[in-house]
Amino acid sequence: MSPRVTVERDGQVLLIGVNRPDKRNAWDRQTIDEVALAYDRLADDPEARAGVVFGHGEHFSAGLDLGDVWPAVTEHGPDALAGAGRHDPFGLWKEPVPKPVVMAVQGIAFTLSIELALASDIVIAAEDVRFRQLEIGRGILPFGGATLRAPAQLGWGNAMKFLLTGQEFGADEAYRVGLVQEVVKPGEQLDRAMALAKLIAAQAPLGVQGTLANARVALRSGSERAAAEHLRATLPGVVVSEDAKEGLQSFLERREARFTGK
């Protein structure tokens, strides 16, 4: 079978592109596995400091290719979405990738598209995006994280409105509830996502990953105490890093810092 996902590095940013435009980028089991393995590459590549996830063609994704995936879901439950890698793109069934992910969406962005957005760190949407959580209309419920994350991240009423009705909503509503952080003209979403990812990649990697990890503890544990303890354990290793020394020196010398990731 031909690859379902393109993976390439542009400087310090790893681009991960779902590439089934003839199927509206629907995810079959092979796509799930390839996306998960791409997240492993993002985690493992020392030169990749941030990732960008996008869909080739007119649409981000129509959701799961149920004809192919449903037997695996019936047998394995929601773990079927975790894929073959060590890192789960949805960050539920295995470890989440430790580096930031910026997501670019356009056209149809149904079901798992919303759940991947909720698992990502920044989402850029084209004005033509069409979101919809379709599961209840198929007699099932979302199982990629929408029921867990949308109420906490978007607010209870905002989440229930699209989870329980299955109604379609667009870029303006997605921006209002906080599912996406910026809305751009169609065709500009990937360039804007790349620009933000490159800006993130220019920062100190240990600081970025520590910030991301600590914020995740705070959000997903719901406990300030747990996040404070995580911060207490994380900060000492960062402040003695070469990048922290460079950050201080650049401040004293009034220049841009040059971070090496050490």
Side-chain angles (χ1 to χ4, degrees):
M1 293 185 289
S2 61
R4 300 282 198 265
V5 177
T6 62
V7 183
E8 59 180 315
R9 185 157 56 79
D10 182 347
Q12 296 171 319
V13 176
L14 192 72
L15 288 93
I16 301 169
V18 179
N19 193 28
R20 295 187 80 200
D22 56 320
K23 299 290 185 180
R24 295 183 177 181
N25 287 332
W27 290 31
D28 60 2
R29 286 172 292 177
Q30 183 182 346
T31 306
I32 293 169
D33 285 344
E34 290 185 19
V35 172
L37 293 172
Y39 272 60
D40 281 358
R41 177 171 169 183
L42 174 59
D44 296 340
D45 185 346
E47 298 301 318
R49 297 186 179 182
V52 169
V53 177
F54 69 100
H56 289 276
E58 297 180 9
H59 307 289
F60 180 78
S61 177
L64 287 175
D65 185 340
L66 286 179
D68 179 79
V69 176
W70 195 246
V73 174
T74 302
E75 182 177 356
H76 302 292
D79 298 80
L81 290 183
R86 303 187 323 278
H87 297 88
D88 173 9
F90 299 93
L92 288 173
W93 319 114
K94 299 177 183 176
E95 286 298 310
V97 68
K99 298 177 184 177
V101 173
V102 183
M103 183 171 164
V105 293
Q106 81 283 353
I108 290 173
F110 289 173
T111 60
L112 66 80
S113 307
I114 296 174
E115 295 175 306
L116 196 63
L118 289 166
S120 299
D121 303 300
I122 301 173
V123 182
I124 308 301
E127 292 173 338
D128 67 351
V129 74
R130 297 165 54 194
F131 289 109
R132 192 175 181 189
Q133 202 78 54
L134 289 161
E135 286 87 347
I136 60 163
R138 293 173 176 154
I140 56 175
L141 74 159
F143 51 90
T147 54
L148 287 68
R149 292 184 174 136
Q153 295 176 212
L154 311 180
W156 183 269
N158 292 327
M160 292 304 112
K161 183 179 178 182
F162 74 81
L163 287 173
L164 298 181
T165 66
Q167 287 184 328
E168 184 177 302
F169 60 100
D172 289 344
E173 178 69 359
Y175 180 77
R176 183 189 72 81
V177 302
L179 180 63
V180 307
Q181 283 62 65
E182 291 186 19
V183 178
V184 298
K185 293 180 180 179
E188 296 181 0
Q189 67 280 352
L190 181 55
D191 286 343
R192 180 55 181 154
M194 280 295 299
L196 284 171
K198 288 182 177 181
L199 184 59
I200 293 169
Q203 314 310 312
L206 291 177
V208 168
Q209 292 173 41
T211 298
L212 184 62
N214 191 243
R216 284 174 174 171
V217 171
L219 178 65
R220 295 173 185 178
S221 71
S223 168
E224 285 190 359
R225 175 52 53 195
E229 291 303 318
H230 178 273
L231 183 59
R232 188 193 305 276
T234 301
L235 186 61
V238 176
V239 297
V240 298
S241 67
E242 293 299 318
D243 278 347
K245 294 175 184 177
E246 165 64 10
L248 176 59
Q249 193 65 31
S250 67
F251 171 77
L252 295 174
E253 296 176 1
R254 301 292 192 268
R255 60 172 173 80
E256 291 293 322
R258 298 180 290 272
F259 296 121
T260 63
K262 299 179 180 178

